[in-house]
Amino acid sequence: MTVTAPTGTTEAVLACGEVRTCLLPSFQPLDIRAAAHLLRLRPDERVRTSERPNLYALSPDTLTGVDCRLPTSNGAKLRAVGTIAARAALTEGRVLQTTAHFRAPAAGPDQRQPWGHYLVRPGVVEPLGRMPERSVAQGTLTGGRPGELDIGHIADGLLTRILRHPLLDQQVPFTSRHTRLRWAALRAPEGEGPSMVRFVLAEEDLRTVELRVPATVRPSAVVGLCEDLALHDWLLTTVVRMLDGSRLGSLEGPAAVLALRPAVDHLLHLWMPRARVDRALGPLWEVLEQHPGFSRQWQTLVQRIRDQLALQAIPLLREALASR
C-alpha cells in the first residue's frame, strides 16, 4: 500500500539528504533481474528498472521514524518529529548508492502529534513550532551534534543492510573507497530558477552541496539530481585514485595494461551526466561543467588512459610484426 500525504500539509521550504556511493562487492556486475532482487526492500512495492541509456534499478522508499533535535548552525535546540525516506539505486550492476532524505515545512504543530499524523506524511519531518530553515540547512551540511538528526547514519544503515545480501559474493574487481554527498535545498526566491550556491569537497570522502530550488520542482527531482552528482563524483574520485596509485610512468607492457584494465572494464562507460536528471534541474549541471569542470576532468583522465594503452600497444605490435 502506498501512503500519500494529505493535500496542503507538506509545503516544504527545506529538503536535506545524504548519498552514500560505493562499488558493489560482486566480482561480476549484476544483471537487471538480479539487481531488482537485491533492491527489493519492501514486499508491497516493486523495484523500478530501466535499460536505457544504461542498466539502472531503483528501490522503493523505506521510512524511518525520528523524534529528535534538528541540527542547527547556531546551536539552537529545535525538536522535530516525522519520517526519513531512504532508497537504494544500482547503476550498470556495478555502483551502489543509498540515499536518506527529508523535507520540512516552515512551521509545525506546537505539540507532538500521534504517530498516525506523521505516517501519512512520508519523508516529512515537522518542527515543533517555527523552523529557522537557513540555520537547519547549514547545520545539516556541517554535521550535527550528538543527539541531533543524522541522516547519514540512516543512509549508511541501509547501505550496510544491502551489502550483507546473500546474492553478493563479497569480491571486488578492484579496490575503491566509499564517498558521501550531503546536500541541502532551500526554497528559491519567487520568480527565480534553480541554482547551485556551492559545491565543496569538504573532506577526503565528503562533499557538500547547497541548492536553491523553486517550489514547483518535485522533491524526488532534487533527490535524483544529488544522486546523479554523487555517482559522477565517485567515478571521478575513483579513477583519479586509480591512476595515482598505478605508477603508470614506471610500468611497462602487461603490468601497465593490467593497472588500467579495471577502469576500462568497469568505469569508463558509466559516465552519463544528466541521464536521469529532471529537465527543470538539468541546467545545474552546467555549473559543475564550468567549475570544477566535471566532464573536462573526466575526458582528460580518459585520454590519459587511452594514451597509455596506445603506448603499451606499440612494442607489442612490433614484436608481432617481427615474428612474421
Side-chain angles (χ1 to χ4, degrees):
M1 179 179 67
T2 300
V3 179
T4 57
T7 303
T9 61
T10 59
E11 189 69 22
V13 298
L14 172 67
C16 299
E18 186 162 324
V19 187
R20 301 293 175 100
T21 307
C22 69
L23 181 70
L24 190 73
S26 172
F27 192 75
Q28 297 293 335
L30 300 187
D31 60 31
I32 200 67
R33 297 178 71 176
H37 181 60
L38 177 73
L39 300 187
R40 193 167 183 264
L41 304 181
R42 293 171 50 178
D44 59 332
E45 288 196 33
R46 67 181 182 86
V47 175
R48 288 181 284 170
T49 60
S50 169
E51 297 185 2
R52 301 289 185 274
N54 54 15
L55 297 182
Y56 180 76
L58 179 65
S59 79
D61 283 352
T62 62
L63 298 177
T64 300
V66 295
D67 182 347
C68 58
R69 297 198 308 270
L70 291 177
T72 56
S73 59
N74 59 8
K77 295 182 179 181
L78 176 66
R79 183 183 174 190
V81 187
T83 57
I84 306 298
R87 69 185 195 181
L90 188 64
T91 301
E92 282 291 342
R94 178 53 73 198
V95 183
L96 175 65
Q97 295 181 283
T98 57
T99 303
H101 60 96
F102 70 91
R103 60 191 190 278
D110 292 331
Q111 295 183 338
R112 190 190 188 285
Q113 303 298 301
W115 268 116
H117 170 87
Y118 303 104
L119 291 177
V120 296
R121 296 161 173 82
V124 175
V125 171
E126 292 185 343
L128 298 189
R130 179 157 293 278
M131 178 184 68
E133 57 261 32
R134 293 183 183 274
S135 178
V136 173
Q138 291 303 315
T140 299
L141 291 175
T142 56
R145 302 170 181 82
E148 295 178 339
L149 177 61
D150 184 353
I151 50 179
H153 180 73
I154 296 174
D156 190 58
L158 179 57
L159 183 68
T160 300
R161 171 185 167 185
I162 295 173
L163 292 178
R164 292 174 177 169
H165 198 286
L167 187 64
L168 304 177
D169 59 23
Q170 303 303 322
Q171 299 183 48
V172 292
F174 59 92
T175 58
S176 64
R177 298 169 66 171
H178 295 198
T179 58
R180 299 176 291 153
L181 185 139
R182 193 179 294 156
W183 56 270
L186 288 158
R187 178 77 60 83
E190 189 72 25
E192 293 188 11
S195 62
M196 184 173 294
V197 178
R198 61 179 59 87
F199 171 73
V200 180
L201 299 177
E203 298 173 8
E204 194 166 319
D205 67 342
L206 174 65
R207 292 85 173 93
T208 61
V209 181
E210 183 178 347
L211 305 169
R212 297 289 185 274
V213 180
T216 54
V217 175
R218 296 176 295 108
S220 60
V222 181
V223 177
L225 168 73
C226 294
E227 288 172 338
D228 192 59
L229 172 55
L231 170 65
H232 290 85
D233 173 77
W234 182 86
L235 288 170
L236 269 176
T237 301
T238 301
V239 173
V240 166
R241 288 172 176 166
M242 189 180 293
L243 292 179
D244 286 346
S246 64
R247 299 182 297 112
L248 285 183
S250 60
L251 295 177
E252 295 183 0
V257 174
L258 288 174
L260 296 172
R261 183 170 180 174
V264 176
D265 287 348
H266 303 286
L267 301 179
L268 298 191
H269 62 289
L270 298 184
W271 190 263
M272 293 186 184
R274 292 183 287 191
R276 291 183 173 83
V277 173
D278 189 282
R279 290 184 179 181
L281 298 177
L284 295 184
W285 256 103
E286 298 303 323
V287 178
L288 296 171
E289 299 296 19
Q290 295 171 14
H291 182 77
F294 266 41
S295 290
R296 183 169 62 251
Q297 183 182 7
W298 179 259
Q299 292 303 325
T300 300
L301 294 172
V302 171
Q303 191 58 53
R304 184 182 174 193
I305 291 171
R306 289 173 176 168
D307 289 344
Q308 286 292 328
L309 291 175
L311 286 173
Q312 301 308 322
I314 292 173
L316 296 177
L317 181 59
R318 287 174 179 169
E319 292 177 10
L321 292 174
S323 62
R324 288 186 177 180

